[in-house]
Amino acid sequence: MSDTTSLHLPKPRISLARPKAPSTLDRWVRWANAPLIAAGHSLRGKSYKWVARRACLLEAELRKLSDDDLRMRATEFGSKLRRKRNRADFAELSAVLREVVRRTHGFLLNQRQIQGGAAIWSGCIAEMETGEGKTITAVLPAAACALAGEQSHVITVNDYLAKRDHEITLPVFQFLGLRSALVIRETPPDDRWDLYRAPVVYASNTEIAFDHLRDRTEAGASTGAARAAILTGSPQSRSGPRLPALDMAIVDEADSVLIDEARTPLILSGGDGAMYDEETCVLALEVAKGLRERHDFRLVPERREVSILPDGKDRLAARFSARDDRWASQVYREDLMRKALSALYLYEFGRDYLLKDGKVQIVDENTGRVFEDRSWSMGIHQLIEVKEGTEITPERRVMGRLTYQSLFGRYHRVGGMTGTVVEAARELWQVYKLTTARIPTNRPSQRYFMKDRIFSQDDERLTALLNRVSFLSDYGTPILIGTRTVAASEHLSSKLSERGLDHALLNAQTDEYEAEIIANAGLKGHITIATNMAGRGTDIKLSDEVRNMGGLHVILTERHDSGRIDRQLQGRCARQGDPGTCEAYLSLEDQLLASGRLPRMLKLAKSLAKVFPLSRSGVLRMAQRRIERAHGKARFQLLQSEANLDRTLAFTGVRE
């Protein structure tokens, strides 16, 4: 391969305008060639081996340089990349950064990490197994951007991981004389203007998205002036945008951010509304409780949709025929009934929300964490508050709306990394025009998958699970038990307590002890119950004694809506070449196979699985894939709605 092989990256752009929605023809072309793009997943990763080998060849030469000379080398290659991006210069800069990491952290980046960094830098989503050091891998493209005069946002799924990753990588950027910043929920609003002007910014996807959405809804200074402030270091007026440029996004846990969280648009609200007051919500829930499922309404739980059937429409019309207020409107009352029925039957305590300090707080099922200061829109939150008997919060008016598809379309370049992306390779290409690259593990994986145990009834599963945990704990094996919801984790915790088994519980109710719980999770004989908070990004350290005993044992107690989330939990064991085992204790009564969610064919298959145990695994896989397809359809519909809005409002020129 030639040293001057170009990465074909365009020059930085300044405009932050909303990207143009792809045309119908473009979407069809992407759909048609998506299988071919996905098929190159493994081959694409191998194409970056050359960069890694070249970087490692310079190790002996760079070790002889002083710190100042090493910084000069980094600046030199950064300038070259700014003029023309090619693999040779990136490989040599990677060699310099590899030596910087050795001097600041005491270890060398391996070839797989350099491969992953090159893939991210060139705009791919790198699939790297859990425990392969993705946090430090992100330093390569982030520092390369900064040295080339661009700004990068290192985006991850929550504040905990953003803070952790920033602390780990900070010495590298300090050595190079580069400023890196951290933006989390607790960051004061007035400080964000300065922090976002650092060459490298660590933040969660929600902080980046909402701050950008605030910028789009506020009058500000010109983007050109804001961009000039970054390059010259001149002070910037607070009236300018918080995010002055969107050069590159480096997305950690990319499948979670770009796929799992992309089904719902982000809505910025403010001011007070008056449509969903307490009296209205109380009446709506009262009427909704009197409606009959399958007679008056139908639920579609996997898409959180409610449809009012003809009998239900007639009952509502008769119920409010004498009213002369807004309830007399068919459109209004049926819309409110759909929301009230959703609040009653589709939003569950312990799964979708918790009660903290007398308030309803949203729980993200994908991460297991609480969304503080966020609420459901269009009256759903107020209806749930009335349902739970808490004080109703004032309704907020919608001030701005943003989808992740739109947000990441604004970036000049997007790259990322995750441990589970091959299943989403087609959708990433169809929606974001992103390719994926498989990066092999540095050491052979020692993860051993035990056969799933699937029971016909949940009581049988629970009894067998408790016996298994008791046996492994007596042997001294550390155990991580994954549950799907907060309610399930607390129920299992109570059963373990009844057995006299000491354990730690990690969920959205106990998140203040997260660091301590994770630090102890790999100790001999330790039992940890966790929701998905112990999934993505969690690094459980093992002692030598535990390694010799076979490592961490992970037990899944339910399948999630996406198989990628299951793989993330399994990835907590056998990291970085350590030994580890994982198994699943499942039931035909799991939420994935809840009767209200199944079509007739799956209901029949579920009934047959009770008689023929060998078919149970296949039934669960069918149900999981069905939910994955439904979620994919919801994301596609959201993308379509964005395009429809563009066409509908085309007479204004642009939407923003």
Side-chain angles (χ1 to χ4, degrees):
M1 186 179 292
S2 172
D3 286 359
T4 58
T5 301
S6 175
L7 289 177
H8 301 294
L9 302 177
K11 295 180 180 179
R13 71 184 182 198
I14 295 178
S15 173
L16 300 183
R18 185 185 187 282
K20 183 180 179 181
S23 65
T24 302
L25 177 61
D26 189 26
R27 288 198 299 271
W28 274 103
V29 170
R30 291 190 198 180
W31 177 84
N33 60 23
L36 182 62
I37 296 296
H41 180 64
S42 296
L43 187 61
R44 204 173 292 115
K46 294 177 182 178
S47 69
Y48 298 103
K49 281 185 177 180
W50 179 87
V51 176
R53 287 197 297 265
R54 184 180 179 94
C56 292
L57 288 174
L58 298 174
E59 178 184 343
E61 175 188 343
L62 294 174
R63 284 203 179 194
K64 301 174 184 177
L65 299 180
S66 67
D67 289 355
D68 289 338
D69 289 339
L70 200 61
R71 293 187 190 96
M72 289 181 63
R73 281 284 190 97
T75 303
E76 174 188 346
F77 289 118
S79 299
K80 289 182 178 180
L81 287 175
R82 187 173 184 179
R83 292 193 297 271
K84 182 180 180 181
R85 297 173 179 82
N86 61 68
R87 296 189 183 215
D89 289 335
F90 182 80
E92 297 194 19
L93 178 57
S94 297
V96 173
L97 296 173
R98 186 172 184 250
E99 176 62 18
V100 171
V101 171
R102 188 189 70 81
R103 298 186 186 188
T104 56
H105 288 75
F107 62 84
L108 279 170
L109 295 176
N110 59 56
Q111 290 195 27
R112 303 310 185 193
Q113 289 171 313
I114 298 174
Q115 253 181 279
I120 297 167
W121 167 249
S122 59
C124 278
I125 304 298
E127 184 177 59
M128 302 175 67
E129 284 287 341
T130 57
E132 289 295 297
K134 294 190 289 292
T135 296
I136 205 71
T137 297
V139 166
L140 298 178
C145 280
L147 292 167
E150 298 180 354
Q151 189 183 40
S152 62
H153 294 157
V154 184
I155 301 171
T156 190
V157 291
N158 57 61
D159 287 349
Y160 169 80
L161 294 179
K163 185 177 180 180
R164 185 203 67 180
D165 293 354
H166 178 255
E167 291 173 352
I168 290 173
T169 59
L170 183 61
V172 176
F173 296 114
Q174 288 178 334
F175 184 98
L176 295 169
L178 298 172
R179 181 185 171 211
S180 66
L182 172 68
V183 177
I184 57 178
R185 178 178 171 272
E186 290 79 14
T187 303
D190 288 343
D191 293 348
R192 299 188 178 219
W193 272 266
D194 292 330
L195 293 174
Y196 277 125
R197 278 150 183 79
V200 182
V201 179
Y202 282 80
S204 69
N205 54 296
T206 54
E207 294 302 319
I208 292 285
F210 276 110
D211 280 338
H212 180 67
L213 185 53
R214 291 183 184 100
D215 284 342
R216 307 311 300 179
T217 56
E218 295 173 1
S222 69
T223 303
R227 178 58 182 253
I230 288 184
L231 301 179
T232 64
S234 60
Q236 176 67 20
S237 169
R238 287 291 186 271
S239 62
R242 295 166 184 79
L243 281 70
L246 300 178
D247 290 331
M248 182 171 191
I250 301 170
V251 188
D252 192 10
E253 308 299 351
D255 60 320
S256 177
V257 175
L258 300 175
I259 300 295
D260 295 332
E261 299 195 29
R263 298 201 315 266
T264 307
L266 300 170
I267 296 175
L268 184 67
S269 59
D272 294 332
M275 183 173 291
Y276 302 101
D277 55 82
E278 185 170 3
E279 181 182 352
T280 299
C281 292
V282 168
L283 178 57
L285 290 175
E286 177 187 331
V287 174
K289 289 176 182 177
L291 298 180
R292 302 162 299 168
E293 187 176 359
R294 297 189 183 91
H295 294 280
D296 300 321
F297 66 93
R298 181 182 293 115
L299 299 176
V300 187
E302 61 269 23
R303 289 161 55 186
R304 277 199 175 151
E305 291 181 1
V306 179
S307 57
I308 308 295
L309 301 178
D311 286 352
K313 293 180 180 180
D314 293 340
R315 290 190 67 182
L316 291 175
R319 173 69 171 78
F320 296 105
S321 60
R323 301 282 292 251
D324 59 358
D325 54 9
R326 56 190 177 185
W327 285 98
S329 166
Q330 179 181 358
V331 173
Y332 171 82
R333 63 174 177 257
E334 290 181 7
D335 177 66
L336 190 52
M337 278 303 103
R338 281 190 288 269
K339 293 171 182 174
L341 290 165
S342 296
L344 285 174
Y345 304 116
L346 299 182
Y347 292 83
E348 295 182 11
F349 176 81
R351 184 193 71 184
D352 302 301
Y353 63 90
L354 297 173
L355 297 179
K356 274 191 172 183
D357 302 324
K359 296 181 179 179
V360 172
Q361 295 194 343
I362 301 173
V363 175
D364 178 18
E365 185 180 343
N366 294 322
T367 64
R369 297 177 186 275
V370 167
F371 282 144
E372 298 190 46
D373 296 333
R374 290 179 65 177
S375 61
W376 288 294
S377 62
M378 305 301 291
I380 292 290
H381 206 84
Q382 287 72 25
L383 287 161
I384 292 175
E385 286 172 331
V386 171
K387 167 188 168 183
E388 295 296 337
T390 64
E391 182 180 355
I392 191 169
T393 57
E395 175 199 347
R396 311 289 281 176
R397 292 199 310 269
V398 174
M399 299 177 63
R401 180 179 183 272
L402 180 70
T403 64
Y404 282 116
Q405 292 92 327
S406 173
L407 171 65
F408 289 101
R410 300 167 194 257
Y411 278 91
H412 163 58
R413 194 160 75 255
V414 177
M417 50 197 172
T418 183
T420 50
V421 77
V422 64
E423 302 94 334
R426 292 190 183 190
E427 186 170 345
L428 286 170
W429 174 254
Q430 290 171 349
V431 176
Y432 300 98
K433 213 169 185 180
L434 287 173
T435 56
T436 61
R438 167 69 178 166
I439 308 299
T441 57
N442 186 47
R443 300 175 184 172
S445 175
Q446 296 189 53
R447 183 177 300 127
Y448 178 71
F449 293 91
M450 304 180 74
K451 186 177 180 180
D452 294 346
R453 298 194 63 188
I454 307 174
F455 302 86
S456 60
Q457 295 182 350
D458 195 58
D459 289 343
E460 296 175 2
R461 177 192 63 85
L462 183 58
T463 301
L465 173 62
L466 294 173
N467 292 337
R468 179 65 167 162
V469 172
S470 179
F471 170 78
L472 291 172
S473 179
D474 290 342
Y475 181 72
T477 302
I479 308 164
L480 174 64
I481 309 172
T483 63
R484 179 166 174 161
T485 65
V486 174
S489 68
E490 293 181 340
H491 177 67
L492 181 57
S493 175
S494 67
K495 294 300 181 181
L496 286 177
S497 297
E498 291 175 6
R499 285 280 188 111
L501 295 171
D502 292 332
H503 61 278
L505 175 62
L506 176 60
N507 60 31
Q509 301 270 34
T510 60
D511 55 357
E512 63 267 27
Y513 307 111
E514 179 173 4
E516 179 184 350
I517 293 172
I518 293 301
N520 295 329
L523 299 180
K524 181 179 178 181
H526 203 79
I527 303 171
T528 306
I529 304 172
T531 57
N532 289 334
M533 289 181 67
R536 296 182 181 274
T538 303
D539 192 5
I540 298 176
K541 304 293 185 182
L542 306 179
S543 64
D544 291 337
E545 181 183 14
V546 169
R547 287 190 186 92
N548 294 332
M549 295 174 60
L552 180 70
H553 186 80
V554 174
I555 302 178
L556 284 70
T557 59
E558 277 190 87
R559 293 292 185 207
H560 290 82
D561 286 350
S562 171
R564 289 178 290 103
I565 302 176
D566 294 331
R567 286 177 58 198
Q568 285 288 343
L569 185 60
Q570 292 167 340
R572 296 317 101 195
C573 70
R575 296 165 65 85
Q576 301 177 1
D578 287 341
T581 52
C582 54
E583 61 182 329
Y585 276 66
L586 309 172
S587 164
L588 293 179
E589 294 181 351
D590 286 350
Q591 186 176 342
L592 202 65
L593 291 173
S595 297
R597 309 182 74 169
L598 301 180
R600 290 181 180 178
M601 184 175 294
L602 264 179
K603 285 182 181 178
L604 176 61
K606 177 182 174 181
S607 299
L608 292 174
K610 293 179 180 180
V611 181
F612 303 102
L614 292 178
S615 67
R616 292 174 182 175
S617 179
V619 171
L620 281 168
R621 281 199 301 271
M622 289 170 59
Q624 191 175 62
R625 289 170 183 169
R626 175 176 172 269
I627 301 299
E628 288 175 337
R629 288 194 296 270
H631 288 175
K633 184 176 181 180
R635 289 187 290 268
F636 178 76
Q637 288 176 340
L638 184 60
L639 190 65
Q640 286 288 88
S641 70
E642 290 285 291
N644 291 338
L645 279 173
D646 284 341
R647 288 192 294 269
T648 302
L649 302 179
F651 66 89
T652 64
V654 292
R655 279 176 49 203
E656 299 183 0

